[in-house]
Amino acid sequence: MENFAVILPLILYLILMLGIAWYVTRRASKHNFMEDYFIGGRSLGGFVLGMTLIATFVSASSFIGGPGVAYSTGLSWVLLSMIQVPTAFLTLGVLGKKFAIIARRIQAVTVTDYLYARYKSKTVVLLASISLLVFFIAMMVAQFIGGGVLFQNITGYSYVIGLILFGIVVVVYTTVGGFKAVAITDTIQAMVMVAATITILVAVINKGGGLPNLVENISAANPAMVDPEATPKPQILSYWILVGLGLLGLPQTSVRCMSFKNTKALHSSMIIGTIVVGFLMLGMHLTGFLSAGILEGTPATSDNVIPMVVLQELPSFWAGLFLAGPLAAVMSTVSSLLILASAAIIKDLLGRFSPKQREAKQLRKISLLATGLIGLIAFAFAIEPPDLIVWINLFAMGGLEAAFFWPTVLGLFWKRANKEGVIASMIGGIGTYLLLGGLGVSIQGINNVVFGLLASLLFFIIGTYLGKRPDAETTELFFG
Amino acid sequence: MKKSMKEINRQLNKEALLTLGLFLLFFLWWYATAYGLADAEWTVFGLPAWFFMSCVVGWILCCLGVTFMVKKFFRDVDLDEFAEELPNEKGGRE
């Protein structure tokens, strides 16, 4: 059944996003295209910085996949989701000011710019750019599919129509508006996510006759639902690496450390980001858990839980408004990945390997072209969706961490770190991670990223001690 | 008066360590309450004690912890000072 009342608020919302991108583009200063397009001219304030960081990180899996698992596993999965509370303050507190200073000194707009300045190696640029492109495209495809399936389930219109609607909109506003448009739309998307979370949580609690009653019913039917150990400890503890400490390695969050205006903005964004991400994680996963007490019928897969609850509990128009929340999560993640993937091609690959002077006009043209093209590639992959989409996102996240974590962190805090170490670390880390994944190895349910990161560290240390010390100029630049 | 990069780096390393310390504290709270209170009978709004303490109180404490850390220990640094220090040397403006 197709339902126009559901789709109407969505269309209005998408038009709003396009309008914002258009407005931001018109207002953008024209002094330096690269800095404007790829990093927003380093002008973000605290609120926008916190919100864009969170909106990028919070994806379809926080709205659909995770709550779906909480529905079948119980409160132990909500416990797991709360590991992500430190996301904002951890990244910004550890990397923020160092990145901001270094980025200004070398006019960096990408994480790879920083890696090149620190390690002076084109091999590092190549490894970083390629792994970034591969894993980012995989993540974008997963987001597109998640959004498309959700759209189909809630509106009754086909998957492809949904994909075309929000897929084209996000590719267009990112391509046209660049990083600034991404950051501003992210901010609005994050607020929409908060509103959607409140809407569905309140609806579910009301339906269940209040929180105590609902929890009582669920635990009476199945006591494991309220047992913290229902999710095995080795598994849950390895998530402290994958979605905890390891997040320091994600280029899409760390690049935001180059984008803020001043340190006051950084400080307030650490607080705002922590409040908002905790609220979204707790609210959505708790909704998934509580749905176990009210949902009529059995969902085919865990990804169907939230769409079914929405259809069951919310009137059409409100269902449409809710749907804007997860679609906001999808679009805000895709837009950030897209602009960074484009930066990897234009600034890192083209800029480093074919460094002739280009006119601003030409640069603008090829940047827009690259952004649009990558978006369309991800879009094309999503039209015929492969199975197992939930895991693509986590798998790609682990891969990025295996590649970027130690090179990013040790570059800032270990004077001795050098290019031999980074090259060994990236190849060894990604290699180990992919090998374990490819062989289907699973040790005690521990996520393979833990072994990828250990291998990456080991190779880093060995490589560094086999290679030369960094030159005096680099040490001076980074450590004063 | 301009601060040297060395002095600033010392402050930044301290801030990074404090951040990691808070991260560790959050982990310890999360672990201790989630598994330590697993058998407690009391509930808040119907939520089991372990869950309320680790996920709801833990999150609120974390927000308060970040606020305290930032206000008390983090220092403002003039970022634009560095932009002018090394103009157009590396990386290159297009």
Side-chain angles (χ1 to χ4, degrees):
Chain A
M1 29 120 238
E2 297 172 2
N3 194 336
F4 189 71
V6 183
I7 213 173
L8 185 66
L10 266 184
I11 290 177
L12 293 176
Y13 177 63
L14 293 175
I15 292 172
L16 178 71
M17 292 296 113
L18 285 175
I20 290 166
W22 180 74
Y23 180 73
V24 169
T25 318
R26 274 178 42 114
R27 282 196 32 184
S29 62
K30 297 279 186 281
H31 77 283
N32 180 339
F33 172 73
M34 284 299 214
E35 278 198 359
D36 279 339
Y37 190 72
F38 288 125
I39 205 74
R42 307 191 204 288
S43 60
L44 299 194
F47 186 69
V48 174
L49 175 64
M51 293 304 234
T52 179
L53 191 90
I54 290 315
T56 300
F57 178 70
V58 173
S59 68
S61 50
S62 326
F63 268 87
I64 311 300
V69 182
Y71 164 87
S72 48
T73 313
L75 285 179
S76 64
W77 204 263
V78 188
L79 177 68
L80 184 147
S81 77
M82 293 306 277
I83 295 171
Q84 299 166 94
V85 166
T87 307
F89 85 78
L90 181 67
T91 309
L92 296 170
V94 173
L95 305 175
K97 286 177 194 167
K98 283 218 169 200
F99 253 38
I101 292 175
I102 296 295
R104 280 167 171 77
R105 292 190 121 183
I106 61 176
Q107 271 119 45
V109 303
T110 67
V111 174
T112 310
D113 277 341
Y114 147 71
L115 293 176
Y116 184 73
R118 176 67 180 80
Y119 300 114
K120 305 261 170 16
S121 157
K122 284 195 175 171
T123 315
V124 171
V125 172
L126 199 64
L127 285 170
S129 306
I130 290 177
S131 44
L132 185 143
L133 282 172
V134 170
F135 290 125
F136 272 21
I137 289 178
M139 282 176 127
M140 281 190 264
V141 173
Q143 295 300 315
F144 274 148
I145 297 170
V149 170
L150 184 72
F151 180 89
Q152 180 177 26
N153 285 342
I154 293 187
T155 64
Y157 287 92
S158 85
Y159 171 82
V160 178
I161 290 184
L163 204 57
I164 290 173
L165 261 182
F166 71 82
I168 299 287
V169 167
V170 65
V171 172
V172 166
Y173 80 64
T174 307
T175 305
V176 173
F179 188 90
K180 195 68 181 285
V182 169
I184 304 290
T185 47
D186 274 5
T187 305
I188 295 166
Q189 316 252 37
M191 292 191 269
V192 170
M193 288 184 230
V194 170
T197 304
I198 295 172
T199 309
I200 190 74
L201 183 60
V202 169
V204 169
I205 291 177
N206 267 341
K207 168 77 175 190
L211 199 50
N213 188 33
L214 202 45
V215 179
E216 183 65 32
N217 289 342
I218 296 171
S219 71
N222 179 5
M225 291 291 282
V226 294
D227 179 3
E229 307 223 26
T231 301
K233 259 194 205 173
Q235 185 188 2
I236 203 169
L237 289 178
S238 65
Y239 272 73
W240 275 93
I241 303 293
L242 182 64
V243 294
L245 197 60
L247 298 180
L248 285 175
L250 292 184
Q252 65 267 45
T253 44
S254 52
V255 75
R256 283 173 163 61
C257 300
M258 298 179 177
S259 67
F260 54 86
K261 191 165 50 182
N262 54 34
T263 50
K264 279 201 174 55
L266 175 81
H267 295 162
S268 53
S269 69
M270 288 171 71
I271 302 169
I272 296 165
T274 308
I275 296 172
V276 175
V277 79
F279 180 83
L280 291 175
M281 292 300 161
L282 186 62
M284 277 317 297
H285 288 82
L286 202 54
T287 301
F289 162 75
L290 294 172
S291 301
I294 59 141
L295 193 59
E296 295 148 14
T298 322
T301 70
S302 59
D303 284 352
N304 289 338
V305 173
I306 293 296
M308 282 174 71
V309 173
V310 170
L311 285 180
Q312 184 187 306
E313 296 309 324
L314 297 179
S316 297
F317 182 78
W318 286 95
L321 278 184
F322 169 81
L323 185 56
L327 285 186
V330 166
M331 292 196 291
S332 56
T333 303
V334 168
S335 63
S336 305
L337 298 175
L338 193 52
I339 197 72
L340 282 181
S342 170
I345 290 183
I346 302 299
K347 186 75 171 63
D348 300 329
L349 290 176
L350 206 63
R352 297 281 174 211
F353 290 94
S354 160
K356 60 172 190 200
Q357 282 294 327
R358 291 183 177 80
E359 281 179 40
K361 217 171 169 185
Q362 191 193 3
L363 213 51
R364 187 180 159 78
K365 216 156 121 191
I366 53 174
S367 299
L368 264 62
L369 196 69
T371 314
L373 209 61
I374 302 164
L376 288 179
I377 291 174
F379 183 81
F381 273 116
I383 289 184
E384 285 291 329
D387 288 339
L388 299 169
I389 55 151
V390 188
W391 304 112
I392 299 177
N393 196 41
L394 282 180
F395 185 78
M397 195 186 274
L400 285 171
E401 291 176 6
F404 284 94
F405 183 85
W406 294 115
T408 306
V409 174
L410 292 181
L412 289 180
F413 294 99
W414 191 27
K415 273 188 199 177
R416 184 74 169 82
N418 58 21
K419 70 172 179 206
E420 288 82 0
V422 174
I423 294 170
S425 160
M426 284 188 145
I427 295 174
I430 301 176
T432 307
Y433 181 71
L434 291 182
L435 194 67
L436 289 175
L439 294 174
V441 178
S442 174
I443 302 161
Q444 298 262 328
I446 296 172
N447 192 291
N448 284 334
V449 75
V450 176
F451 305 110
L453 281 174
L454 284 176
S456 164
L457 176 62
L458 194 69
F459 281 106
F460 201 119
I461 295 172
I462 294 171
T464 293
Y465 280 111
L466 290 178
K468 285 198 301 262
R469 277 178 185 280
D471 56 38
E473 193 196 349
T474 310
T475 314
E476 173 66 26
L477 178 64
F478 280 83
F479 300 96
Chain B
M1 216 189 78
K2 256 189 177 181
K3 274 192 189 157
S4 78
M5 190 69 186
K6 262 213 171 77
E7 276 177 299
I8 291 173
N9 261 324
R10 207 170 302 135
Q11 169 66 20
L12 297 194
N13 288 344
K14 191 177 107 183
E15 290 180 8
L17 280 177
L18 279 166
T19 306
L20 286 176
L22 184 64
F23 180 73
L24 187 69
L25 276 180
F26 178 67
F27 168 71
L28 291 175
W29 175 273
W30 176 95
Y31 191 92
T33 51
Y35 296 107
L37 292 172
D39 297 323
E41 296 289 330
W42 50 281
T43 59
V44 184
F45 308 124
L47 298 168
W50 70 265
F51 180 80
F52 183 77
M53 292 306 281
S54 65
C55 294
V56 182
V57 177
W59 165 52
I60 294 169
L61 284 178
C62 190
C63 295
L64 293 176
V66 176
T67 311
F68 178 75
M69 177 176 81
V70 164
K71 302 258 183 248
K72 182 91 183 157
F73 298 110
F74 276 43
R75 298 274 172 269
D76 278 318
V77 177
D78 182 4
L79 297 172
D80 292 322
E81 196 174 279
F82 298 99
E84 288 148 24
E85 204 172 307
L86 287 170
N88 295 321
E89 198 192 324
K90 267 177 242 69
R93 286 186 185 231
E94 263 84 358

